Amino acid sequence: MTRLLAAPEAELVFAALLLTLLAGLVLALLAARSVLTCILLMSVFSLTMALWLMVMDAPDVAFTEASVGAGVSTMILLGAALSSTDVIPSVRPGRFWFPAVACLAAFIGMALALSDLPVFGDPGSPPSSYVGRLYLEHTPHDIGAPNVVTAVLASYRGFDTLGETSVILAAGVGVLLLLGGSLNSRDPVSEDVSLRISAGSPVLSVAARLLIPIICLYAFYVLAHGEFGAGGGFQAGVILAAALILHALVFGVRETMRALPVGVVRSCAALGVLGYASIGFIAILHGGRFLDYDALLSPVFEAGLPSSHLAGGHHHWGQRLGILGIETGVMLAVASTMTAIFYAFAGRVSRSDEAGAA
Amino acid sequence: MLEAIAWIGSAFIIAAVGLSIAGAVGVLRFPDVYTRIHAASITDTGAASLMTLGMLLMAGLSPAAIKLCIVWLFIMLTSPAAAHALAGAAFGSGHRPILGDPRRPSEDET
Amino acid sequence: MLAAGVAGLLIAMGLMVVRLLRGPTAYDRVLAVNSFGTKTVLMIALMGFAVGRPDFLDVAIVYALINFISTIALMKVFRLRSLGEPLARLSMSRETPDA
């Protein structure tokens, strides 16, 4: 592993400072009495956590933490906070003791277990000994993808990832059921509200106009680049959803719904999972097993394609196609689910405002 | 020659970090929202520019340099827009800038 | 040298957290989060440069984007108490207020 800083001592001091910052943020989070301050602190915590993950040399996880933890969950928490009161009620002292003792016991247990953990980056540790080592050794031969994380997630454990994508869809459906969003896209914003700020801000409008296409393009770059570096379908989906959320934030959710109706978004969420699963079935139809990408292309067809430089005598076009296909499915499902949840929150709050005003 | 360019590059990075700390001190010490926004947004874009310049001087032309330029472009596009939006929102919700000497607030201040 | 850069950025980030906690107005807090995010972007770029890995820069780009979007969202919630209302009009000609 390349050292981040010249001296190990400097790296240690840096890690200690970063962890102190994380601990301080958690303590501040505990002390904060306003929901919106808590959301701000959680956003900052997420950014710092992702920074820490970068120090741990895990850019894939940092990518996800940055886009989900600091981005989309801030939006969703804001939506939830708008539907409730801002002040956190203080807990009666009598109800304080049991959770405090339970937390302390868990902390002591974890601190005791800490000494049994392997050293960071230890090649003899259990996670890097058995199946992890096999993945690292066999990926260039089996998959041909330079990024082993993507190879494991999308190909070796493609079935797990299908399950995870379905979980995202199911969670989205659950949230939509709870929020009671209906399919017909009623105007969620009343006319007088949009007139009140119709002067608008040309700076934001221009910035959003410039940024939204670039963000969409970048999402597709992350999707296609996941095989080679940090990224993949999940992160791409979140970035795409962020572009749509930016559009809704600046131009109003009504404009976004006009461009991308609620029904289309919800259908796309299901279509993403369906597309993922159907790639598995195509592999079965071609005589392979479920999600066996090597069976996607017929050997005769694949022999005609140019050989990849990493293949080591093997063609990996089936793997390439399969990984890109399922990542596209994941992106579609994630982006649509996030957007649908945002639609539900943004529409709901305005409607309750209307009810309050009436 | 190359050595000298690398030294200039690291000087730029140090300057960027100094500017960043100066901005953070400004955000901490300045009296009202608008001066703080001013401190933060100017030093953020300035530090980003200096740091990008420094890293470009140290690294030379490479694919990473193009990505660095993209990061710089994003910061230059988003940071002023966010600062503008923040100042607009603060003004719209009734905060007025402190005029005159902040240590002796005048009577007609709202 | 790079160690000094990273350490300096970390100090600036710590000062931003102080402003985030002290407030006093909501916009001070949002400003602190935004500036903290920009410093994180710079730090990741610097770290990626230090270890010679350009894929760190991909993460930095995502940070810059997410930082902007969450700043706009936070600002909007504090100002308008809503996520769905427009901040700017899509088209300057359509739907004039006097129509």
Side-chain angles (χ1 to χ4, degrees), chain A residues 14 17 36 40 48 50 54 57 66 71 75 193 197-198 200 209 218 249-253 255, chain C residues 6 10 29 36 43 53 56 58 62-63 66 68-69 74 76 78 84-90 97:
Chain A
F14 175 60
L17 279 175
L36 288 171
L40 284 169
T48 320
M54 298 295 287
D57 206 12
M75 307 299 158
V193 165
I197 43 172
S198 63
R209 260 166 225 264
Y218 187 65
L249 284 173
V250 175
F251 299 118
V253 76
E255 285 290 341
Chain C
V6 169
L10 208 59
R29 297 178 203 272
F36 187 93
M43 195 161 185
R53 290 187 43 180
F56 275 37
D58 284 340
V62 170
Y63 268 56
I66 293 294
F68 177 62
I69 297 173
L74 289 165
K76 192 169 168 181
F78 282 123
E85 294 170 14
L87 286 170
R89 274 178 304 157
L90 192 59

mmCIF file of all heavy atoms in Angstrom, chain A residues 14 17 36 40 48 50 54 57 66 71 75 193 197-198 200 209 218 249-253 255, chain C residues 6 10 29 36 43 53 56 58 62-63 66 68-69 74 76 78 84-90 97:
data_model
loop_
_atom_site.group_PDB
_atom_site.id
_atom_site.type_symbol
_atom_site.label_atom_id
_atom_site.label_comp_id
_atom_site.label_asym_id
_atom_site.label_seq_id
_atom_site.Cartn_x
_atom_site.Cartn_y
_atom_site.Cartn_z
ATOM 1 N N PHE A 14 -2.391 12.168 11.878
ATOM 2 C CA PHE A 14 -3.512 12.541 11.009
ATOM 3 C C PHE A 14 -4.741 11.684 11.311
ATOM 4 O O PHE A 14 -5.853 12.198 11.481
ATOM 5 C CB PHE A 14 -3.078 12.372 9.553
ATOM 6 C CG PHE A 14 -4.163 12.597 8.569
ATOM 7 C CD1 PHE A 14 -4.813 13.814 8.509
ATOM 8 C CD2 PHE A 14 -4.541 11.596 7.694
ATOM 9 C CE1 PHE A 14 -5.818 14.027 7.593
ATOM 10 C CE2 PHE A 14 -5.542 11.802 6.776
ATOM 11 C CZ PHE A 14 -6.180 13.015 6.731
ATOM 12 N N LEU A 17 -6.266 12.716 14.592
ATOM 13 C CA LEU A 17 -7.014 13.970 14.486
ATOM 14 C C LEU A 17 -8.376 13.734 13.833
ATOM 15 O O LEU A 17 -9.412 14.232 14.286
ATOM 16 C CB LEU A 17 -6.219 14.981 13.661
ATOM 17 C CG LEU A 17 -5.109 15.737 14.389
ATOM 18 C CD1 LEU A 17 -4.338 16.599 13.416
ATOM 19 C CD2 LEU A 17 -5.714 16.584 15.495
ATOM 20 N N LEU A 36 -32.909 20.113 12.821
ATOM 21 C CA LEU A 36 -32.189 20.583 11.633
ATOM 22 C C LEU A 36 -30.689 20.664 11.897
ATOM 23 O O LEU A 36 -29.877 20.336 11.036
ATOM 24 C CB LEU A 36 -32.741 21.942 11.197
ATOM 25 C CG LEU A 36 -34.132 21.836 10.572
ATOM 26 C CD1 LEU A 36 -34.726 23.208 10.356
ATOM 27 C CD2 LEU A 36 -34.092 21.084 9.269
ATOM 28 N N LEU A 40 -27.637 18.747 9.882
ATOM 29 C CA LEU A 40 -26.384 19.372 9.450
ATOM 30 C C LEU A 40 -25.184 18.603 9.977
ATOM 31 O O LEU A 40 -24.240 18.311 9.244
ATOM 32 C CB LEU A 40 -26.315 20.808 9.961
ATOM 33 C CG LEU A 40 -27.156 21.850 9.266
ATOM 34 C CD1 LEU A 40 -27.160 23.121 10.060
ATOM 35 C CD2 LEU A 40 -26.611 22.095 7.900
ATOM 36 N N THR A 48 -16.913 13.500 6.907
ATOM 37 C CA THR A 48 -15.695 13.135 7.618
ATOM 38 C C THR A 48 -15.474 11.626 7.575
ATOM 39 O O THR A 48 -14.351 11.149 7.414
ATOM 40 C CB THR A 48 -15.776 13.618 9.073
ATOM 41 O OG1 THR A 48 -16.369 14.900 9.092
ATOM 42 C CG2 THR A 48 -14.415 13.702 9.692
ATOM 43 N N ALA A 50 -16.429 9.618 5.248
ATOM 44 C CA ALA A 50 -15.970 9.249 3.913
ATOM 45 C C ALA A 50 -14.491 9.595 3.754
ATOM 46 O O ALA A 50 -13.732 8.845 3.131
ATOM 47 C CB ALA A 50 -16.796 9.962 2.854
ATOM 48 N N MET A 54 -11.426 7.107 2.851
ATOM 49 C CA MET A 54 -10.382 7.335 1.857
ATOM 50 C C MET A 54 -9.013 7.040 2.459
ATOM 51 O O MET A 54 -8.150 6.467 1.803
ATOM 52 C CB MET A 54 -10.396 8.781 1.373
ATOM 53 C CG MET A 54 -11.643 9.234 0.688
ATOM 54 S SD MET A 54 -11.934 8.387 -0.838
ATOM 55 C CE MET A 54 -10.693 9.115 -1.868
ATOM 56 N N ASP A 57 -8.074 3.621 2.408
ATOM 57 C CA ASP A 57 -7.856 3.112 1.056
ATOM 58 C C ASP A 57 -9.060 2.325 0.540
ATOM 59 O O ASP A 57 -8.907 1.266 -0.070
ATOM 60 C CB ASP A 57 -6.593 2.242 1.010
ATOM 61 C CG ASP A 57 -5.992 2.230 -0.370
ATOM 62 O OD1 ASP A 57 -6.410 3.056 -1.187
ATOM 63 O OD2 ASP A 57 -5.106 1.397 -0.630
ATOM 64 N N ALA A 66 -20.204 9.140 0.521
ATOM 65 C CA ALA A 66 -20.357 10.540 0.148
ATOM 66 C C ALA A 66 -21.684 10.781 -0.543
ATOM 67 O O ALA A 66 -22.418 11.713 -0.217
ATOM 68 C CB ALA A 66 -19.207 10.959 -0.769
ATOM 69 N N GLY A 71 -25.385 13.034 0.746
ATOM 70 C CA GLY A 71 -26.284 13.592 -0.260
ATOM 71 C C GLY A 71 -27.727 13.213 -0.067
ATOM 72 O O GLY A 71 -28.531 13.986 0.461
ATOM 73 N N MET A 75 -31.233 14.800 2.084
ATOM 74 C CA MET A 75 -32.513 15.210 1.488
ATOM 75 C C MET A 75 -33.679 14.519 2.177
ATOM 76 O O MET A 75 -34.685 15.144 2.519
ATOM 77 C CB MET A 75 -32.594 14.816 0.011
ATOM 78 C CG MET A 75 -31.496 15.255 -0.855
ATOM 79 S SD MET A 75 -31.381 17.008 -0.905
ATOM 80 C CE MET A 75 -29.705 17.123 -1.394
ATOM 81 N N VAL A 193 -47.756 30.106 -4.063
ATOM 82 C CA VAL A 193 -46.390 29.886 -3.570
ATOM 83 C C VAL A 193 -45.388 30.127 -4.685
ATOM 84 O O VAL A 193 -44.382 30.816 -4.502
ATOM 85 C CB VAL A 193 -46.257 28.450 -3.017
ATOM 86 C CG1 VAL A 193 -44.792 28.093 -2.851
ATOM 87 C CG2 VAL A 193 -46.960 28.357 -1.681
ATOM 88 N N ILE A 197 -42.279 33.674 -5.109
ATOM 89 C CA ILE A 197 -40.843 33.779 -5.332
ATOM 90 C C ILE A 197 -40.537 33.763 -6.821
ATOM 91 O O ILE A 197 -39.495 33.312 -7.249
ATOM 92 C CB ILE A 197 -40.094 32.643 -4.631
ATOM 93 C CG1 ILE A 197 -40.840 31.351 -4.846
ATOM 94 C CG2 ILE A 197 -39.901 32.925 -3.179
ATOM 95 C CD1 ILE A 197 -40.070 30.182 -4.366
ATOM 96 N N SER A 198 -41.496 34.278 -7.599
ATOM 97 C CA SER A 198 -41.318 34.146 -9.043
ATOM 98 C C SER A 198 -40.183 35.021 -9.557
ATOM 99 O O SER A 198 -39.710 34.816 -10.664
ATOM 100 C CB SER A 198 -42.600 34.508 -9.762
ATOM 101 O OG SER A 198 -42.886 35.855 -9.508
ATOM 102 N N GLY A 200 -37.300 34.840 -8.457
ATOM 103 C CA GLY A 200 -36.323 33.787 -8.633
ATOM 104 C C GLY A 200 -34.903 34.280 -8.547
ATOM 105 O O GLY A 200 -34.620 35.429 -8.234
ATOM 106 N N ARG A 209 -28.733 24.933 -14.610
ATOM 107 C CA ARG A 209 -28.775 24.584 -16.021
ATOM 108 C C ARG A 209 -27.444 24.035 -16.500
ATOM 109 O O ARG A 209 -27.384 23.109 -17.301
ATOM 110 C CB ARG A 209 -29.054 25.826 -16.839
ATOM 111 C CG ARG A 209 -30.444 26.001 -17.276
ATOM 112 C CD ARG A 209 -30.542 27.424 -17.743
ATOM 113 N NE ARG A 209 -31.738 28.027 -17.234
ATOM 114 C CZ ARG A 209 -32.849 28.090 -17.946
ATOM 115 N NH1 ARG A 209 -32.881 27.599 -19.151
ATOM 116 N NH2 ARG A 209 -33.924 28.641 -17.436
ATOM 117 N N TYR A 218 -21.828 12.641 -15.840
ATOM 118 C CA TYR A 218 -20.894 12.073 -14.884
ATOM 119 C C TYR A 218 -21.437 10.773 -14.293
ATOM 120 O O TYR A 218 -20.688 9.825 -14.054
ATOM 121 C CB TYR A 218 -20.617 13.098 -13.780
ATOM 122 C CG TYR A 218 -19.546 12.658 -12.843
ATOM 123 C CD1 TYR A 218 -18.250 12.506 -13.294
ATOM 124 C CD2 TYR A 218 -19.829 12.353 -11.527
ATOM 125 C CE1 TYR A 218 -17.255 12.076 -12.458
ATOM 126 C CE2 TYR A 218 -18.840 11.921 -10.681
ATOM 127 C CZ TYR A 218 -17.559 11.785 -11.155
ATOM 128 O OH TYR A 218 -16.590 11.346 -10.320
ATOM 129 N N LEU A 249 -35.135 20.997 -6.705
ATOM 130 C CA LEU A 249 -34.881 22.019 -5.695
ATOM 131 C C LEU A 249 -34.901 23.407 -6.305
ATOM 132 O O LEU A 249 -35.446 24.349 -5.734
ATOM 133 C CB LEU A 249 -33.513 21.783 -5.048
ATOM 134 C CG LEU A 249 -33.392 20.664 -4.035
ATOM 135 C CD1 LEU A 249 -31.947 20.485 -3.636
ATOM 136 C CD2 LEU A 249 -34.232 20.946 -2.815
ATOM 137 N N VAL A 250 -34.286 23.542 -7.481
ATOM 138 C CA VAL A 250 -34.137 24.879 -8.042
ATOM 139 C C VAL A 250 -35.392 25.294 -8.804
ATOM 140 O O VAL A 250 -35.882 26.409 -8.628
ATOM 141 C CB VAL A 250 -32.884 24.935 -8.945
ATOM 142 C CG1 VAL A 250 -32.795 26.273 -9.636
ATOM 143 C CG2 VAL A 250 -31.634 24.711 -8.117
ATOM 144 N N PHE A 251 -35.920 24.392 -9.633
ATOM 145 C CA PHE A 251 -37.035 24.793 -10.488
ATOM 146 C C PHE A 251 -38.393 24.388 -9.914
ATOM 147 O O PHE A 251 -39.415 24.648 -10.535
ATOM 148 C CB PHE A 251 -36.865 24.198 -11.882
ATOM 149 C CG PHE A 251 -35.603 24.659 -12.555
ATOM 150 C CD1 PHE A 251 -34.623 23.755 -12.905
ATOM 151 C CD2 PHE A 251 -35.388 25.996 -12.807
ATOM 152 C CE1 PHE A 251 -33.453 24.181 -13.504
ATOM 153 C CE2 PHE A 251 -34.218 26.428 -13.410
ATOM 154 C CZ PHE A 251 -33.254 25.519 -13.755
ATOM 155 N N GLY A 252 -38.387 23.737 -8.773
ATOM 156 C CA GLY A 252 -39.647 23.317 -8.193
ATOM 157 C C GLY A 252 -39.992 21.907 -8.611
ATOM 158 O O GLY A 252 -39.751 21.493 -9.744
ATOM 159 N N VAL A 253 -40.578 21.166 -7.664
ATOM 160 C CA VAL A 253 -40.836 19.747 -7.934
ATOM 161 C C VAL A 253 -41.895 19.583 -9.013
ATOM 162 O O VAL A 253 -41.949 18.578 -9.702
ATOM 163 C CB VAL A 253 -41.201 19.025 -6.622
ATOM 164 C CG1 VAL A 253 -42.616 19.329 -6.201
ATOM 165 C CG2 VAL A 253 -40.980 17.539 -6.742
ATOM 166 N N GLU A 255 -42.107 21.256 -11.855
ATOM 167 C CA GLU A 255 -41.441 21.222 -13.156
ATOM 168 C C GLU A 255 -40.792 19.864 -13.398
ATOM 169 O O GLU A 255 -40.844 19.328 -14.506
ATOM 170 C CB GLU A 255 -40.375 22.324 -13.236
ATOM 171 C CG GLU A 255 -40.915 23.714 -13.423
ATOM 172 C CD GLU A 255 -41.510 23.906 -14.811
ATOM 173 O OE1 GLU A 255 -41.197 23.112 -15.717
ATOM 174 O OE2 GLU A 255 -42.308 24.845 -14.966
ATOM 175 N N VAL C 6 -2.296 18.763 4.447
ATOM 176 C CA VAL C 6 -3.427 18.005 5.001
ATOM 177 C C VAL C 6 -3.737 18.477 6.415
ATOM 178 O O VAL C 6 -4.899 18.665 6.791
ATOM 179 C CB VAL C 6 -3.108 16.497 4.944
ATOM 180 C CG1 VAL C 6 -4.112 15.710 5.737
ATOM 181 C CG2 VAL C 6 -3.083 16.011 3.516
ATOM 182 N N LEU C 10 -7.158 20.206 7.861
ATOM 183 C CA LEU C 10 -7.870 19.595 8.985
ATOM 184 C C LEU C 10 -8.166 20.650 10.057
ATOM 185 O O LEU C 10 -9.253 20.663 10.637
ATOM 186 C CB LEU C 10 -7.027 18.455 9.555
ATOM 187 C CG LEU C 10 -7.791 17.327 10.223
ATOM 188 C CD1 LEU C 10 -8.751 16.694 9.250
ATOM 189 C CD2 LEU C 10 -6.830 16.291 10.757
ATOM 190 N N ARG C 29 -24.764 28.089 10.049
ATOM 191 C CA ARG C 29 -24.532 26.640 10.100
ATOM 192 C C ARG C 29 -24.418 26.061 8.698
ATOM 193 O O ARG C 29 -23.531 25.251 8.405
ATOM 194 C CB ARG C 29 -25.668 25.957 10.847
ATOM 195 C CG ARG C 29 -25.772 26.386 12.294
ATOM 196 C CD ARG C 29 -26.959 25.698 12.951
ATOM 197 N NE ARG C 29 -27.436 26.419 14.101
ATOM 198 C CZ ARG C 29 -26.955 26.250 15.341
ATOM 199 N NH1 ARG C 29 -26.017 25.391 15.548
ATOM 200 N NH2 ARG C 29 -27.446 26.950 16.338
ATOM 201 N N PHE C 36 -17.011 23.432 4.945
ATOM 202 C CA PHE C 36 -16.415 22.160 5.382
ATOM 203 C C PHE C 36 -16.331 21.197 4.199
ATOM 204 O O PHE C 36 -15.311 20.549 3.974
ATOM 205 C CB PHE C 36 -17.289 21.558 6.485
ATOM 206 C CG PHE C 36 -16.725 20.340 7.145
ATOM 207 C CD1 PHE C 36 -15.973 20.459 8.297
ATOM 208 C CD2 PHE C 36 -16.952 19.090 6.632
ATOM 209 C CE1 PHE C 36 -15.448 19.343 8.906
ATOM 210 C CE2 PHE C 36 -16.434 17.966 7.246
ATOM 211 C CZ PHE C 36 -15.680 18.102 8.384
ATOM 212 N N MET C 43 -9.089 18.333 0.330
ATOM 213 C CA MET C 43 -8.283 17.361 1.058
ATOM 214 C C MET C 43 -8.204 16.034 0.307
ATOM 215 O O MET C 43 -7.141 15.420 0.228
ATOM 216 C CB MET C 43 -8.902 17.132 2.425
ATOM 217 C CG MET C 43 -7.993 16.438 3.378
ATOM 218 S SD MET C 43 -8.682 16.785 4.945
ATOM 219 C CE MET C 43 -7.601 16.139 6.042
ATOM 220 N N ARG C 53 -2.999 8.413 -6.856
ATOM 221 C CA ARG C 53 -4.137 7.634 -7.373
ATOM 222 C C ARG C 53 -5.189 8.565 -7.917
ATOM 223 O O ARG C 53 -5.911 9.210 -7.159
ATOM 224 C CB ARG C 53 -4.698 6.754 -6.271
ATOM 225 C CG ARG C 53 -3.722 5.653 -5.960
ATOM 226 C CD ARG C 53 -4.261 4.662 -5.021
ATOM 227 N NE ARG C 53 -5.625 4.281 -5.300
ATOM 228 C CZ ARG C 53 -6.269 3.405 -4.563
ATOM 229 N NH1 ARG C 53 -5.678 2.862 -3.555
ATOM 230 N NH2 ARG C 53 -7.500 3.087 -4.843
ATOM 231 N N PHE C 56 -9.028 8.808 -6.763
ATOM 232 C CA PHE C 56 -9.505 9.598 -5.642
ATOM 233 C C PHE C 56 -10.216 10.851 -6.142
ATOM 234 O O PHE C 56 -11.117 11.360 -5.498
ATOM 235 C CB PHE C 56 -8.335 10.013 -4.744
ATOM 236 C CG PHE C 56 -7.940 8.980 -3.727
ATOM 237 C CD1 PHE C 56 -7.982 7.632 -4.028
ATOM 238 C CD2 PHE C 56 -7.530 9.354 -2.461
ATOM 239 C CE1 PHE C 56 -7.624 6.680 -3.099
ATOM 240 C CE2 PHE C 56 -7.167 8.404 -1.522
ATOM 241 C CZ PHE C 56 -7.205 7.076 -1.832
ATOM 242 N N ASP C 58 -12.190 11.150 -8.640
ATOM 243 C CA ASP C 58 -13.601 10.866 -8.922
ATOM 244 C C ASP C 58 -14.449 11.126 -7.680
ATOM 245 O O ASP C 58 -15.522 11.726 -7.751
ATOM 246 C CB ASP C 58 -13.774 9.400 -9.341
ATOM 247 C CG ASP C 58 -13.315 9.160 -10.762
ATOM 248 O OD1 ASP C 58 -13.228 10.142 -11.512
ATOM 249 O OD2 ASP C 58 -13.051 8.000 -11.109
ATOM 250 N N VAL C 62 -17.548 13.913 -6.908
ATOM 251 C CA VAL C 62 -18.851 13.602 -6.297
ATOM 252 C C VAL C 62 -19.083 14.457 -5.066
ATOM 253 O O VAL C 62 -20.187 14.975 -4.857
ATOM 254 C CB VAL C 62 -18.934 12.103 -5.963
ATOM 255 C CG1 VAL C 62 -20.153 11.805 -5.134
ATOM 256 C CG2 VAL C 62 -18.966 11.302 -7.221
ATOM 257 N N TYR C 63 -18.032 14.646 -4.256
ATOM 258 C CA TYR C 63 -18.160 15.490 -3.081
ATOM 259 C C TYR C 63 -18.584 16.887 -3.456
ATOM 260 O O TYR C 63 -19.467 17.464 -2.837
ATOM 261 C CB TYR C 63 -16.827 15.573 -2.355
ATOM 262 C CG TYR C 63 -16.636 14.558 -1.286
ATOM 263 C CD1 TYR C 63 -16.745 13.227 -1.580
ATOM 264 C CD2 TYR C 63 -16.348 14.935 0.004
ATOM 265 C CE1 TYR C 63 -16.563 12.290 -0.603
ATOM 266 C CE2 TYR C 63 -16.159 13.998 0.983
ATOM 267 C CZ TYR C 63 -16.262 12.683 0.676
ATOM 268 O OH TYR C 63 -16.088 11.782 1.641
ATOM 269 N N ILE C 66 -22.291 16.828 -4.465
ATOM 270 C CA ILE C 66 -23.201 16.556 -3.355
ATOM 271 C C ILE C 66 -23.219 17.739 -2.395
ATOM 272 O O ILE C 66 -24.263 18.125 -1.873
ATOM 273 C CB ILE C 66 -22.757 15.265 -2.646
ATOM 274 C CG1 ILE C 66 -22.954 14.056 -3.559
ATOM 275 C CG2 ILE C 66 -23.489 15.083 -1.343
ATOM 276 C CD1 ILE C 66 -24.355 13.737 -3.893
ATOM 277 N N PHE C 68 -22.775 20.900 -3.083
ATOM 278 C CA PHE C 68 -23.603 21.977 -3.633
ATOM 279 C C PHE C 68 -25.085 21.657 -3.460
ATOM 280 O O PHE C 68 -25.860 22.491 -2.967
ATOM 281 C CB PHE C 68 -23.271 22.145 -5.126
ATOM 282 C CG PHE C 68 -24.111 23.171 -5.812
ATOM 283 C CD1 PHE C 68 -24.079 24.494 -5.413
ATOM 284 C CD2 PHE C 68 -24.941 22.818 -6.864
ATOM 285 C CE1 PHE C 68 -24.848 25.443 -6.052
ATOM 286 C CE2 PHE C 68 -25.719 23.764 -7.509
ATOM 287 C CZ PHE C 68 -25.671 25.076 -7.100
ATOM 288 N N ILE C 69 -25.467 20.432 -3.819
ATOM 289 C CA ILE C 69 -26.892 20.096 -3.776
ATOM 290 C C ILE C 69 -27.407 20.125 -2.348
ATOM 291 O O ILE C 69 -28.487 20.659 -2.074
ATOM 292 C CB ILE C 69 -27.124 18.726 -4.444
ATOM 293 C CG1 ILE C 69 -26.741 18.812 -5.908
ATOM 294 C CG2 ILE C 69 -28.564 18.298 -4.304
ATOM 295 C CD1 ILE C 69 -26.769 17.506 -6.623
ATOM 296 N N LEU C 74 -30.481 22.511 2.140
ATOM 297 C CA LEU C 74 -30.536 23.007 3.515
ATOM 298 C C LEU C 74 -30.987 24.459 3.544
ATOM 299 O O LEU C 74 -31.863 24.845 4.326
ATOM 300 C CB LEU C 74 -29.153 22.884 4.154
ATOM 301 C CG LEU C 74 -28.686 21.475 4.477
ATOM 302 C CD1 LEU C 74 -27.203 21.456 4.744
ATOM 303 C CD2 LEU C 74 -29.427 20.959 5.684
ATOM 304 N N LYS C 76 -32.726 25.994 1.378
ATOM 305 C CA LYS C 76 -34.129 26.094 0.988
ATOM 306 C C LYS C 76 -35.059 25.715 2.138
ATOM 307 O O LYS C 76 -36.087 26.367 2.356
ATOM 308 C CB LYS C 76 -34.355 25.148 -0.194
ATOM 309 C CG LYS C 76 -35.651 25.347 -0.876
ATOM 310 C CD LYS C 76 -35.655 24.584 -2.153
ATOM 311 C CE LYS C 76 -37.043 24.555 -2.693
ATOM 312 N NZ LYS C 76 -37.097 23.800 -3.939
ATOM 313 N N PHE C 78 -34.375 25.947 5.346
ATOM 314 C CA PHE C 78 -34.356 26.990 6.362
ATOM 315 C C PHE C 78 -35.141 28.220 5.912
ATOM 316 O O PHE C 78 -35.786 28.877 6.702
ATOM 317 C CB PHE C 78 -32.917 27.384 6.686
ATOM 318 C CG PHE C 78 -32.231 26.404 7.581
ATOM 319 C CD1 PHE C 78 -31.065 25.790 7.200
ATOM 320 C CD2 PHE C 78 -32.777 26.083 8.807
ATOM 321 C CE1 PHE C 78 -30.443 24.876 8.034
ATOM 322 C CE2 PHE C 78 -32.162 25.164 9.642
ATOM 323 C CZ PHE C 78 -30.980 24.565 9.248
ATOM 324 N N GLY C 84 -40.166 21.350 -2.120
ATOM 325 C CA GLY C 84 -40.760 21.221 -3.437
ATOM 326 C C GLY C 84 -40.947 22.521 -4.191
ATOM 327 O O GLY C 84 -41.128 22.508 -5.398
ATOM 328 N N GLU C 85 -40.910 23.663 -3.456
ATOM 329 C CA GLU C 85 -41.180 24.919 -4.138
ATOM 330 C C GLU C 85 -40.010 25.321 -5.031
ATOM 331 O O GLU C 85 -38.869 24.997 -4.746
ATOM 332 C CB GLU C 85 -41.428 26.012 -3.100
ATOM 333 C CG GLU C 85 -42.692 25.780 -2.310
ATOM 334 C CD GLU C 85 -42.785 26.735 -1.147
ATOM 335 O OE1 GLU C 85 -42.032 27.705 -1.125
ATOM 336 O OE2 GLU C 85 -43.609 26.474 -0.266
ATOM 337 N N PRO C 86 -40.288 26.048 -6.099
ATOM 338 C CA PRO C 86 -39.192 26.465 -6.983
ATOM 339 C C PRO C 86 -38.405 27.619 -6.378
ATOM 340 O O PRO C 86 -38.950 28.446 -5.655
ATOM 341 C CB PRO C 86 -39.906 26.886 -8.263
ATOM 342 C CG PRO C 86 -41.273 27.262 -7.826
ATOM 343 C CD PRO C 86 -41.611 26.418 -6.643
ATOM 344 N N LEU C 87 -37.112 27.642 -6.687
ATOM 345 C CA LEU C 87 -36.266 28.762 -6.306
ATOM 346 C C LEU C 87 -36.038 29.695 -7.482
ATOM 347 O O LEU C 87 -35.681 30.851 -7.316
ATOM 348 C CB LEU C 87 -34.910 28.269 -5.821
ATOM 349 C CG LEU C 87 -34.851 27.627 -4.454
ATOM 350 C CD1 LEU C 87 -33.504 26.982 -4.252
ATOM 351 C CD2 LEU C 87 -35.089 28.653 -3.388
ATOM 352 N N ALA C 88 -36.160 29.127 -8.673
ATOM 353 C CA ALA C 88 -35.966 29.920 -9.874
ATOM 354 C C ALA C 88 -36.908 29.366 -10.923
ATOM 355 O O ALA C 88 -37.365 28.231 -10.810
ATOM 356 C CB ALA C 88 -34.526 29.828 -10.356
ATOM 357 N N ARG C 89 -37.199 30.197 -11.910
ATOM 358 C CA ARG C 89 -38.100 29.714 -12.938
ATOM 359 C C ARG C 89 -37.311 29.042 -14.048
ATOM 360 O O ARG C 89 -36.203 29.443 -14.383
ATOM 361 C CB ARG C 89 -38.946 30.848 -13.480
ATOM 362 C CG ARG C 89 -40.177 31.049 -12.632
ATOM 363 C CD ARG C 89 -40.976 32.184 -13.144
ATOM 364 N NE ARG C 89 -40.180 33.401 -13.211
ATOM 365 C CZ ARG C 89 -40.481 34.404 -14.004
ATOM 366 N NH1 ARG C 89 -41.516 34.325 -14.808
ATOM 367 N NH2 ARG C 89 -39.746 35.484 -14.013
ATOM 368 N N LEU C 90 -37.926 27.995 -14.598
ATOM 369 C CA LEU C 90 -37.248 27.241 -15.650
ATOM 370 C C LEU C 90 -37.107 28.102 -16.892
ATOM 371 O O LEU C 90 -36.074 28.131 -17.536
ATOM 372 C CB LEU C 90 -38.044 25.972 -15.965
ATOM 373 C CG LEU C 90 -37.345 24.939 -16.818
ATOM 374 C CD1 LEU C 90 -36.072 24.500 -16.142
ATOM 375 C CD2 LEU C 90 -38.250 23.760 -17.033
ATOM 376 N N PRO C 97 -45.754 36.489 -13.661
ATOM 377 C CA PRO C 97 -46.613 36.662 -12.492
ATOM 378 C C PRO C 97 -47.933 37.378 -12.810
ATOM 379 O O PRO C 97 -48.942 37.087 -12.170
ATOM 380 C CB PRO C 97 -45.757 37.508 -11.554
ATOM 381 C CG PRO C 97 -44.361 37.301 -11.996
ATOM 382 C CD PRO C 97 -44.411 37.021 -13.452
#
